[in-house]
Amino acid sequence: MKIDTSSYYPESPLNDFDDKEERGDEEINNKNEKPEPLPDFIASTAKGGNEVKEDSEEERVSGAEIDEKEGSEEDLDDPHYDPTEGERFLDGVSTFLSWTLVPLMMPVYGALMAFYLSILNYMPVGTKWGITLIIALINVVIPSILIMMLKKIGFIQDIGLNGRKERLIPYIVTIVCMGATALFIRLKHGPEWFVMFYAGGGVAAIINLLVNFRWKISAHAAGIAGIVALLIRILHDGTPMPGLFTWLIVWIAASGLMGSARVWLGRHTAAQVLAGFAVGFCSVFFLTMI
């Protein structure tokens, strides 16, 4: 039986030093060794925060793709969207009708209809054209000059007077010019229905002026409706010429096309066009029936 005598001797400090060196070597070796991979379920738990971030990045990418698709659809409503050939054609026709049937020209068109489709057709040609030129001077030239002056001083921005607030002074000018034309026809001993045609135009302009303070009503429709009312009045008892009924159909069709053009161009709604036509027709028709 061996006797263990190690316990009888005190521990040497050299032994402690050797033990520390061995422990230090083990720690260094442990640091240099790569850690063993964690199990899948532990690794997934430990990386949960990173995976959430990666998912959020994927969601942001998908959201960006959705926004890009929505943006491509919104480009259809962009004001710089290139219209089709059909749309450009309709824009051109609508613009042509709007300027051909501009309210300033309605007094001149009415004079031509009265001189060549009623008993006034028997007047001398020189007299008819002289009166027509004076009517054009009063109702086309003078208002056009005033509108250009208003645009030059910055009171209006568009000579088409598409803004509701820009129509105040032009309406007043129209009322004055219509009244002056009615007085001129009266002085020339024109028929009462011819005088009342221009007086009715002035009344329609007054109504449109009042409505314009709260709502944008169609002056184009009011003007062309006055021509239709004049032709109906001549057809009633103005000793009409043979072609009057045909011209009546033409002007009714033109009023429909013109109203559609104004709606297509976005200048008015259908209600504003119909309201303007009602004002113009009633104002001229009932005054000419006096």
Side-chain angles (χ1 to χ4, degrees):
M1 173 177 168
K2 295 181 67 176
I3 299 175
D4 185 9
T5 61
S6 60
S7 59
Y8 293 104
Y9 298 97
E11 294 183 357
S12 173
L14 297 176
N15 293 333
D16 294 335
F17 180 77
D18 293 336
D19 293 337
K20 289 180 179 179
E21 283 186 343
E22 290 177 359
R23 287 195 301 269
D25 293 337
E26 289 178 359
E27 290 176 359
I28 292 171
N29 292 332
N30 291 334
K31 289 181 180 180
N32 292 332
E33 291 179 358
K34 295 182 180 180
E36 295 182 358
L38 295 175
D40 294 338
F41 74 94
I42 297 177
S44 62
T45 304
K47 296 180 180 179
N50 295 331
E51 289 184 357
V52 170
K53 292 181 180 178
E54 292 177 359
D55 291 340
S56 63
E57 290 177 359
E58 292 178 359
E59 291 176 359
R60 287 196 294 270
V61 172
S62 62
E65 292 177 354
I66 293 173
D67 293 339
E68 183 178 357
K69 291 180 181 179
E70 291 178 353
S72 62
E73 292 178 356
E74 291 175 356
D75 288 341
L76 297 176
D77 296 330
D78 189 81
H80 301 292
Y81 174 72
D82 187 19
T84 63
E85 291 293 334
E87 290 173 340
R88 281 195 289 266
F89 174 77
L90 290 176
D91 288 342
V93 172
S94 299
T95 302
F96 174 77
L97 288 173
S98 295
W99 283 106
T100 304
L101 302 175
V102 68
L104 289 179
M105 290 299 298
M106 292 303 115
V108 179
Y109 293 153
L112 294 175
M113 294 295 104
F115 284 138
Y116 287 96
L117 296 176
S118 72
I119 194 172
L120 298 178
N121 184 48
Y122 297 107
M123 291 176 59
V125 176
T127 303
K128 290 188 291 189
W129 279 103
I131 294 175
T132 302
L133 290 176
I134 294 174
I135 292 174
L137 174 65
I138 297 174
N139 295 278
V140 179
V141 177
I142 295 176
S144 297
I145 294 174
L146 291 175
I147 290 173
M148 295 301 295
M149 291 175 60
L150 291 174
K151 187 176 187 304
K152 187 174 182 179
I153 64 177
F155 187 83
I156 63 175
Q157 303 298 324
D158 181 12
I159 60 174
L161 302 177
N162 292 308
R164 182 172 59 86
K165 294 181 180 180
E166 296 179 335
R167 297 185 170 193
L168 176 61
I169 294 180
Y171 270 134
I172 296 175
V173 172
T174 299
I175 294 168
V176 173
C177 291
M178 283 291 191
T181 306
L183 179 60
F184 170 70
I185 298 298
R186 172 66 62 84
L187 295 175
K188 290 294 181 180
H189 306 288
E192 194 65 22
W193 54 264
F194 196 24
V195 175
M196 289 296 117
F197 167 69
Y198 293 101
V203 171
I206 293 174
I207 296 174
N208 285 351
L209 172 63
L210 297 176
V211 173
N212 188 70
F213 284 110
R214 300 297 298 274
W215 195 49
K216 184 181 177 182
I217 193 169
S218 176
H220 277 76
I224 201 169
I227 301 293
V228 175
L230 173 65
L231 294 178
I232 292 176
R233 180 63 177 84
I234 295 173
L235 185 64
H236 182 259
D237 60 356
T239 314
M241 296 293 105
L244 187 143
F245 187 77
T246 301
W247 278 103
L248 176 60
I249 299 300
V250 169
W251 279 101
I252 291 175
S255 64
L257 292 174
M258 186 274 303
S260 300
R262 301 301 289 171
V263 174
W264 171 262
L265 293 174
R267 302 298 187 234
H268 292 287
T269 63
Q272 292 169 346
V273 171
L274 292 175
F277 190 91
V279 169
F281 182 87
C282 293
S283 298
V284 173
F285 181 77
F286 288 116
L287 280 183
T288 55
M289 293 297 293
I290 296 177

